[in-house]
Amino acid sequence: MTLVEPRRHPPKDDVTADQLAGYFRRLFPLHRSITGAGVRATHDILGEILPLERIEVASGTPVFDWTVPPEWVVREAYVVTPDGRRILDVADNNLHLLNYAAPFRGRVDRAELDAHLHSLPDQPDAIPYVTSYYERRWGFCIAESMRRALPEGDYEVVVDTEFMDGALTISEAVLAGTEPDEVLISTYTCHPSMANHELSGPLVAAFLYRRLAAAPRRLTYRFVFVPETIGSIAYLSLRGEHLKQHLIAGYVVNCLGLEARFTYKRSRRGTTVADRAAIHALTRDGRKADILDFFPSGSDERQYCSPGFDLPVGSIMRTPYAAFPEYHTSLDGPDRISFEALLGSLDLYFEVCQVLEHNLLYRNLSPYGEPNLGRRGLYPTLGAAVQSSRRIDAMMWLLNLADGTHDLLAIAERSGIDLESLIAAAADCQEAELIARVGHAGADRQ
């Protein structure tokens, strides 16, 4: 199966699959959560790819209806069986320990231990990912097949963890363009030992920065790395008003590492320039993609699209969260991710950004009747008929709809003419002083 498109004309010094794999191997073993050393180590490594600025939000800080939780410290955690075997060791697999588990030491019988175990009966070989961020409890996650085989008897339990006054770690990088209009690229760094549902997003986002930094750009790009939910809420408490003033489009980046068809989840408003640019890139040249309407669950798009902000933020994925069987389990491991698929995802996000870059708004400077294109050398008198017809069609549509309200995407949607042809037509018409750029295309700010 080959489903890693698109890949058109990558830059000569562009990222390779081996580079992605190298960073993945370094990031995968880190024990991430919504706070803590694993998150900071993750951001340190990503900071080798793009220049991240660290923001530490102190424990106990109110952020809208939430409060930043204490920082979680993990030293060791394991269980010793009645016959002396050490099992469920967090040092062997980060998923074995209930994320944000409270400290506990003691001996328990098989029945009491079982009350603190989490498994998936319908996936007997998978270790589930389970969290308890806001309720203090201890616990372990175990494959159902191992759970069934546990003998009767007493078990020694060690959960050496601590909750401390610390901070929630956020990192951002702002790549300035020639204009203040912003595009948000948001991803999360809180899931341990999962490949597609965690690391695919940060890797694509980080290398997207590098690619955009090497390309001409007019827009400003804001890259944000947060713990899911509480992190984006905390970030909105810091930057939300700024985003309402400057954001024209945004995307939550996750679930991009499987060889599967792309899926786009619309923003809350559904027809913002973020939605239109993503759908244009996903469906160009006859490509197929699944387009989902907004729903108020899922990932951080639900925070950016909460009614108080209602930002133009959607999400481009390959296989959406919860739609692949390995989701939130140990089966979402290194052997499941495709680095070629990650490259295709990076290509797609870069293509969407290029659509946004070129989606300009124009006004016809000669709107009374059809302008004389021949006098300006824009109407060929000889040449390939088909090529000339396409070029003239693009100019005619552009000149007719360039009224200061239709951006190039709107003209492409209305006419059926590809965006590249309209971009070329706009360049010709602007040079001939037939049109002028006006306003801001897709001004979806609140």
Side-chain angles (χ1 to χ4, degrees):
M1 179 173 61
T2 304
L3 292 169
V4 298
E5 280 210 327
R7 191 144 187 85
R8 298 171 69 85
H9 304 291
K12 292 180 180 179
D13 59 349
D14 198 30
V15 61
T16 65
D18 286 343
Q19 283 178 294
L20 287 167
Y23 277 100
F24 177 89
R25 284 191 293 269
R26 294 171 63 193
L27 290 164
F28 189 80
L30 299 178
H31 193 182
R32 284 177 289 276
S33 184
I34 56 174
T35 64
V39 178
R40 295 190 184 96
T42 297
H43 290 205
D44 287 342
I45 293 172
L46 292 170
E48 299 172 14
I49 307 170
L50 75 167
L52 292 175
E53 296 287 335
R54 192 73 54 87
I55 302 170
E56 299 284 2
V57 185
S59 303
T61 301
V63 286
F64 301 120
D65 199 41
W66 296 64
T67 302
V68 173
E71 190 168 325
W72 187 49
V73 178
V74 179
R75 298 186 183 89
E76 61 178 351
Y78 59 85
V79 173
V80 179
T81 65
D83 58 359
R85 291 179 295 114
R86 181 180 287 201
I87 62 171
L88 306 182
D89 195 333
V90 72
D92 296 333
N93 191 313
N94 293 321
L95 296 181
H96 276 316
L97 180 63
L98 174 72
N99 207 285
Y100 253 65
F104 178 82
R105 285 180 181 268
R107 297 187 67 82
V108 299
D109 61 22
R110 172 70 174 78
E112 185 175 351
L113 176 66
D114 200 61
H116 294 271
L117 297 181
H118 305 273
S119 63
L120 299 170
D122 58 340
Q123 292 181 284
D125 297 322
I127 303 168
Y129 168 58
V130 184
T131 67
S132 185
Y133 299 136
Y134 304 104
E135 187 69 32
R136 298 289 174 88
R137 54 167 65 87
W138 65 269
F140 289 87
C141 299
I142 184 173
E144 177 70 14
S145 57
M146 175 183 282
R147 184 176 190 171
R148 294 171 185 167
L150 291 177
E152 296 297 326
D154 289 339
Y155 290 77
E156 179 187 356
V157 175
V158 174
V159 182
D160 187 1
T161 60
E162 180 184 356
F163 298 101
M164 57 176 283
D165 287 336
L168 179 148
T169 302
I170 294 171
S171 290
E172 67 177 351
V174 179
L175 182 61
T178 59
E179 300 178 11
D181 287 348
E182 292 191 7
V183 178
L184 172 69
I185 303 294
S186 180
T187 190
Y188 45 84
T189 52
C190 54
H191 291 62
S193 300
M194 283 171 284
N196 183 49
H197 188 53
E198 171 84 346
L199 287 178
S200 69
L203 284 171
V204 167
F207 279 101
L208 178 62
Y209 178 101
R210 179 177 290 186
R211 186 179 287 185
L212 288 168
R217 63 189 176 277
R218 66 180 182 87
L219 297 171
T220 293
Y221 293 85
R222 180 176 294 271
F223 289 77
V224 179
F225 297 80
V226 293
E228 196 173 20
T229 305
I230 185 62
S232 55
I233 291 172
Y235 189 76
L236 283 167
S237 74
L238 298 170
R239 303 281 191 266
E241 291 305 313
H242 175 89
L243 293 176
K244 287 171 73 173
Q245 294 298 315
H246 295 280
L247 195 68
I248 65 162
Y251 304 97
V252 173
V253 184
N254 65 71
C255 295
L256 292 164
L258 301 183
E259 292 190 359
R261 190 160 75 180
F262 283 102
T263 294
Y264 179 66
K265 178 182 175 182
R266 294 178 185 268
S267 71
R268 181 175 182 262
R269 281 177 271 159
T271 57
T272 68
V273 72
D275 305 306
R276 295 161 56 226
I279 292 169
H280 176 88
L282 285 166
T283 57
R284 61 174 290 172
D285 300 333
R287 295 174 187 158
K288 302 294 184 183
D290 296 321
I291 310 300
L292 305 179
D293 286 335
F294 175 80
F295 49 90
S297 59
S299 189
D300 282 334
E301 66 277 359
R302 71 188 193 267
Q303 312 307 335
Y304 297 117
C305 293
S306 57
F309 293 101
D310 197 15
L311 296 170
V313 176
S315 183
I316 304 170
M317 303 163 275
R318 281 196 183 268
T319 304
Y321 28 73
F324 59 102
E326 302 85 5
Y327 173 75
H328 272 196
T329 76
S330 59
L331 300 182
D332 183 9
D335 59 332
R336 290 289 296 138
I337 201 169
S338 163
F339 296 106
E340 289 296 331
L342 274 185
L343 282 177
S345 300
L346 173 59
D347 294 338
L348 189 282
Y349 264 100
F350 182 74
E351 189 173 338
V352 171
C353 292
Q354 293 309 294
V355 172
L356 292 167
E357 287 284 341
H358 291 96
N359 183 39
L360 300 175
L361 193 66
Y362 295 98
R363 184 180 298 280
N364 188 339
L365 300 179
S366 182
Y368 300 103
E370 180 181 307
N372 189 332
L373 299 181
R375 180 165 62 83
R376 295 171 172 86
L378 296 177
Y379 202 102
T381 58
L382 184 67
V386 173
Q387 182 179 357
S388 297
S389 176
R390 288 176 178 169
R391 180 169 173 265
I392 296 303
D393 282 350
M395 279 193 286
M396 291 299 193
W397 274 105
L398 172 68
L399 290 166
N400 188 270
L401 293 180
D403 57 3
T405 64
H406 293 82
D407 58 21
L408 287 189
L409 270 175
I411 298 172
E413 292 158 357
R414 176 90 175 263
S415 68
I417 294 178
D418 62 276
L419 188 65
E420 287 77 8
S421 295
L422 291 169
I423 292 168
D428 289 341
C429 290
Q430 195 167 22
E431 185 177 356
E433 298 184 346
L434 282 172
I435 61 171
R437 185 186 166 194
V438 294
H440 299 277
D444 290 312
R445 296 171 292 274
Q446 293 297 283

